[in-house]
Amino acid sequence: MSQEMVASRFLRLGHGLAGDAKLPPSRNEPCEMSGQPVIALLGRPDVPTDAVEEYCRYLGEALLAEDFELTIERVDWNATGWDRTLNALRRRAEGWHGGWVLVQYTALAWSAHGFPLHFPRILKSLKVAGARVGVVFHDIEPYGTRMVGGLRRRVQLHVMLKSLLLSDVAVFTVPMERVSWIKHEPGKGWFIPVGANLPTSSEANSRKDISTGGKLSVAVFGITGGKSGRWEIENIVEAVRFAASRFGNLRLIVLGRNAQSAEAELTNRLRDSPVELHVLGVLPGEDVVRSLSVSDVLLFVRGPISTRRGSAIAGIACGLPVIAFEGPETAAPITEAGLAFFSPQRKGDLGDVLLRVLEDEHYRTSLAQRSFAAQRQYFSWRVIAARYAEFLRRQP
């Protein structure tokens, strides 16, 4: 995101807070409040794209129909330090007395290295100011493996449990029975899946009208960095090469985070294969929809599919069959979309599943129809906003 775009969305306030970004964004012109005010409170931004910010923008647009006006505020702790940040937040929160503040939680948004120890202080400051506090858990489980990772997991778990107790409402983006650390949920949890951070209202329905030159296209939306990314590239290349060897010429479209950094390896591994490679990188939402709309199937190998995987739901929102694998968070309603499952433990299974989807047009069409239906029923921002409105309308 360019500095000009950031400046147009966020008005810098004193002592590290940024805010006054009304939703939907008028880009440069402010809009008057027309509904009950709600604050979305974010930590430091992610780069090169901030999916949580985009989530809040699309949620805010949809909440207008429910007579709520959502405003984004940022807690810029990374620039000003925690003491000055909390002092500024306490002063700012005096104007939020009695209103809802939806604090967006990811560990790295509130800590440079995934140790968000100060996050409960944010919630306490809001409570002291008389705000009604909702915590939206975008990170559902603590993460970390080795010795430092184990300590990180314990810290994150402590913070999430404390945040659940401090909040008035907690929003989980996967079903709560799939959250391992919730044993005795105190009656304040709401399951609300994420939506696709895309303008899909009209473009997705026109995907059948787009000419693809008779060549079927496989889309990959985002690649993880590091060791996980190398595993993803290996599986994607193996599957696409196999399908192309049996089916004929294919087009592989790779877009989103880390796509361009993977381009050299993808190009090298697909050399001498009948696969036409297009690496597009990070694109505006309209261009993401356009790219997915000329695709026939989405490969999602970034982890087990679930209702918090926005890049997988992007494929569902655009009416694509999605090839993915299952994990602890895989549960309804994501399983009602057009999913074709493969087993990562079974050598070559991804290629076999991809080939079946490409070869069987009837099967591919039925999966696409299921994705369209699931999008309308569960993952559209209209449905998501209506779920938020249920608790936002509750009286203290």
Side-chain angles (χ1 to χ4, degrees):
M1 182 184 298
S2 68
Q3 291 182 346
E4 291 77 13
M5 290 177 67
V6 173
S8 71
R9 252 175 231 170
F10 299 111
L11 173 65
R12 178 67 58 186
L13 302 177
H15 299 289
L17 285 177
D20 249 9
K22 301 292 177 60
L23 300 173
S26 57
R27 296 296 182 256
N28 294 310
E29 298 179 4
C31 56
E32 296 182 0
M33 297 290 284
S34 59
Q36 182 178 334
V38 178
I39 304 297
L41 194 64
L42 285 68
R44 69 171 182 174
D46 196 6
V47 291
T49 59
D50 192 325
V52 174
E53 179 196 325
E54 293 175 356
Y55 171 94
C56 292
R57 287 198 295 112
Y58 283 103
L59 175 61
E61 292 176 3
L63 280 173
L64 289 173
E66 302 287 344
D67 295 323
F68 291 97
E69 184 94 7
L70 187 137
T71 302
I72 291 178
E73 300 265 359
R74 278 201 184 272
V75 178
D76 197 6
W77 59 267
N78 197 45
T80 61
W82 274 104
D83 289 339
R84 293 180 64 190
T85 294
L86 288 166
N87 287 335
L89 177 63
R90 293 185 188 103
R91 292 194 298 271
R92 186 78 175 107
E94 291 175 0
W96 302 338
H97 182 87
W100 277 103
V101 180
L102 303 178
V103 191
Q104 312 295 312
Y105 173 82
T106 69
L108 288 175
W110 301 98
S111 168
H113 303 289
F115 293 89
L117 286 167
H118 292 287
F119 185 71
R121 297 174 68 189
I122 295 287
L123 306 184
K124 289 178 181 178
S125 296
L126 296 171
K127 297 285 284 185
V128 168
R132 304 175 71 188
V133 177
V135 177
V136 183
F137 287 98
H138 296 277
D139 279 356
I140 298 299
E141 297 286 348
Y143 61 87
T145 52
R146 295 181 290 258
M147 184 172 66
V148 174
L151 176 60
R152 185 183 289 116
R153 284 181 60 87
R154 290 193 294 273
V155 169
Q156 291 174 10
L157 182 58
H158 169 77
V159 168
M160 289 191 288
L161 285 167
K162 193 166 186 178
S163 300
L164 178 60
L165 294 175
L166 287 170
S167 66
D168 296 294
V169 163
V171 174
F172 295 91
T173 53
V174 302
M176 281 174 284
E177 62 270 18
R178 297 293 176 132
V179 182
S180 67
W181 52 273
I182 296 181
K183 305 303 180 184
H184 304 287
E185 199 275 309
K188 61 178 69 171
W190 287 67
F191 162 51
I192 306 178
V194 305
N197 291 338
L198 297 174
T200 56
S201 57
S202 59
E203 293 89 340
N205 292 324
S206 64
R207 65 181 299 267
K208 294 302 181 184
D209 300 327
I210 299 174
S211 174
T212 59
K215 184 177 292 189
L216 295 186
S217 298
V218 179
V220 174
F221 188 17
I223 293 176
T224 309
K227 183 178 179 180
S228 296
R230 291 191 293 274
W231 179 88
E232 292 166 21
I233 292 171
E234 181 179 342
N235 280 269
I236 291 165
V237 168
E238 181 182 281
V240 173
R241 285 185 68 102
F242 172 78
S245 70
R246 302 297 195 277
F247 185 79
N249 292 339
L250 291 178
R251 180 186 292 111
L252 175 62
I253 301 174
V254 185
L255 64 155
R257 187 182 290 245
N258 295 319
Q260 289 180 317
S261 62
E263 182 173 10
E265 186 171 359
L266 287 167
T267 300
N268 182 58
R269 289 185 175 228
L270 290 172
R271 199 182 309 276
D272 301 324
S273 73
V275 178
E276 180 184 311
L277 176 64
H278 297 265
V279 178
L280 305 179
V282 177
L283 302 174
E286 294 82 0
D287 292 336
V288 172
V289 171
R290 192 172 297 114
S291 298
L292 294 180
S293 295
V294 299
S295 302
D296 296 278
V297 60
L298 178 75
L299 292 187
F300 182 77
V301 297
R302 299 182 67 186
I305 195 168
S306 79
T307 49
R308 68 180 180 94
R309 296 289 193 170
S311 54
I313 293 172
I316 294 169
C318 291
L320 294 180
V322 177
I323 299 177
F325 63 94
E326 298 181 83
E329 298 176 5
T330 306
I334 196 75
T335 49
E336 296 190 29
L339 307 182
F341 289 114
F342 76 97
S343 171
Q345 289 76 38
R346 189 177 303 142
K347 180 69 173 176
D349 196 42
L350 177 57
D352 290 337
V353 175
L354 175 60
L355 181 62
R356 183 195 172 195
V357 173
L358 294 173
E359 283 187 326
D360 191 335
E361 184 176 0
H362 177 75
Y363 178 51
R364 190 169 68 248
T365 300
S366 69
L367 292 176
Q369 290 172 343
R370 288 184 59 183
S371 286
F372 273 128
Q375 165 66 13
R376 288 192 298 268
Q377 188 170 357
Y378 304 111
F379 303 112
S380 75
W381 286 108
R382 174 187 58 80
V383 173
I384 291 168
R387 284 284 289 156
Y388 270 93
E390 286 185 56
F391 71 77
L392 293 174
R393 291 195 177 99
R394 288 185 174 183
Q395 297 301 314

